Amino acid sequence: MREFLLNSEELLDRNALAFLENGEIWGLLPCHCVRFNEKVKLAYFTEGYTCLGRQIPHMSLDEICFVEQKLLDRIRMLEGRMEISLENLVWDVDGIYLDGQERVFCLCLPAVVPESSLTSQIYLKRVYALLEEMVEHIPGGDEVCRQIEFQKEKDFGNWQSLKEALMRRAPMEDETLTLKSVNTPQPLNFQVGHAEFTIGSDQEQADGWIPGMSTVSPLHAVVGWNDICFYVMDLGSANGTFLNGQRIAPMAQIPIGKGSILKFADCTFSVE
């Protein structure tokens, strides 16, 4: 049995509690509450279920990815419900359970959620972090983590796209990307394949030469392929590399895909 304590009965969301009494049909463990003094104890009877955190060390990477797909299906179904907030789900491996048919069940705490949390959708980031946590210590899991990060960057919050990526366990990206300049003095088009492609203002060293732009470092950045996704990596440039308006840390592979906007110093390129 799992138990949680609310310090005040005022913190109990009664509509959510009523919904959770029959939560199994939505993939949520039923919640029972006991009131004593001014506090409320929430109880979840877990007999007949297996905690995912205990099961993961005995699972293969394929089995874990299959569970992740089922979890994403649960989330897609629950996102349409108004009775509960997904901010109240317990987003860790010890809050996920499997029944004898390998169906996925989650814990949801029927607590009142502040209005600011309802609109912040922090749970989206927690889902990606949970999926990575599930596979990061499994042989081959680092590649799955990179794929999850790629999908997060490419289409944040699109669970169907992420599910399909987990199903195929390999990217279905084109063999090449095209970097098309937006604001350079002369139009530039760089075709990037699976080999590392350096970008900079040094005509002799850079694969993608950006002429006439003093703000671009001689070897400014590299765009490449790491067997999972295309990425951009800043090479310690003076004026920085930006992905979709955000400056990236130097010497870190950051996933990119079609539709991304790259900026090398003040030179902007669309990724097609």
Side-chain angles (χ1 to χ4, degrees), residues 63-134:
E63 290 172 331
I64 297 173
C65 287
F66 189 50
V67 170
E68 291 187 335
Q69 295 165 39
K70 294 180 179 180
L71 178 60
L72 292 174
D73 283 337
R74 293 295 197 203
I75 295 170
R76 292 171 62 199
M77 179 173 61
L78 290 170
E79 280 182 327
R81 305 303 308 183
M82 301 300 294
E83 296 89 343
I84 61 167
S85 168
L86 268 70
E87 303 293 348
N88 275 348
L89 266 69
V90 179
W91 295 112
D92 61 47
V93 292
D94 292 328
I96 309 295
Y97 289 82
L98 304 176
D99 69 359
Q101 303 176 46
E102 297 298 308
R103 293 180 300 179
V104 172
F105 292 84
C106 305
L107 290 180
C108 182
L109 306 180
V112 175
V113 179
E115 186 65 29
S116 57
S117 295
L118 286 172
T119 57
S120 65
Q121 293 190 309
I122 295 175
Y123 81 89
L124 296 173
K125 295 181 180 179
R126 290 173 177 165
V127 170
Y128 287 99
L130 172 61
L131 297 180
E132 292 188 47
E133 179 187 355
M134 289 167 63

Side-chain angles (χ1 to χ4, degrees), residues 31-236:
C31 178
H32 309 272
C33 79
V34 178
R35 296 171 175 83
F36 57 98
N37 297 328
E38 295 181 355
K39 298 183 179 181
V40 175
K41 179 183 290 186
L42 304 176
Y44 301 82
F45 296 98
T46 57
E47 289 78 6
Y49 298 92
T50 302
C51 176
L52 181 61
R54 297 177 182 175
Q55 191 68 15
I56 281 180
H58 310 289
M59 299 172 70
S60 68
L61 186 60
D62 285 335
E63 290 172 331
I64 297 173
C65 287
F66 189 50
V67 170
E68 291 187 335
Q69 295 165 39
K70 294 180 179 180
L71 178 60
L72 292 174
D73 283 337
R74 293 295 197 203
I75 295 170
R76 292 171 62 199
M77 179 173 61
L78 290 170
E79 280 182 327
R81 305 303 308 183
M82 301 300 294
E83 296 89 343
I84 61 167
S85 168
L86 268 70
E87 303 293 348
N88 275 348
L89 266 69
V90 179
W91 295 112
D92 61 47
V93 292
D94 292 328
I96 309 295
Y97 289 82
L98 304 176
D99 69 359
Q101 303 176 46
E102 297 298 308
R103 293 180 300 179
V104 172
F105 292 84
C106 305
L107 290 180
C108 182
L109 306 180
V112 175
V113 179
E115 186 65 29
S116 57
S117 295
L118 286 172
T119 57
S120 65
Q121 293 190 309
I122 295 175
Y123 81 89
L124 296 173
K125 295 181 180 179
R126 290 173 177 165
V127 170
Y128 287 99
L130 172 61
L131 297 180
E132 292 188 47
E133 179 187 355
M134 289 167 63
V135 299
E136 61 185 354
H137 299 301
I138 304 298
D142 55 340
E143 295 184 357
V144 178
C145 285
R146 285 191 290 178
Q147 179 69 352
I148 293 170
E149 282 294 320
F150 175 64
Q151 293 295 326
K152 179 181 177 181
E153 178 66 35
K154 178 183 177 182
D155 202 357
F156 184 66
N158 187 330
W159 306 131
Q160 181 59 31
S161 175
L162 180 54
K163 178 186 175 183
E164 291 171 358
L166 291 171
M167 289 173 65
R168 60 179 180 263
R169 292 272 308 283
M172 293 181 63
E173 293 297 307
D174 293 336
E175 291 296 316
T176 63
L177 290 180
T178 300
L179 274 59
K180 183 176 292 186
S181 66
V182 175
N183 63 347
T184 53
Q186 61 188 61
L188 299 172
N189 286 282
F190 301 145
Q191 291 293 124
V192 181
H194 287 188
E196 285 193 348
F197 188 92
T198 55
I199 294 171
S201 59
D202 188 316
Q203 184 176 8
E204 295 185 359
Q205 296 187 73
D207 300 311
W209 175 43
I210 303 178
M213 301 298 291
S214 60
T215 55
V216 177
S217 297
L219 284 179
H220 194 102
V222 62
V223 176
W225 171 263
N226 58 17
D227 294 327
I228 292 294
C229 64
F230 284 101
Y231 67 87
V232 62
M233 181 171 67
D234 183 82
L235 296 176

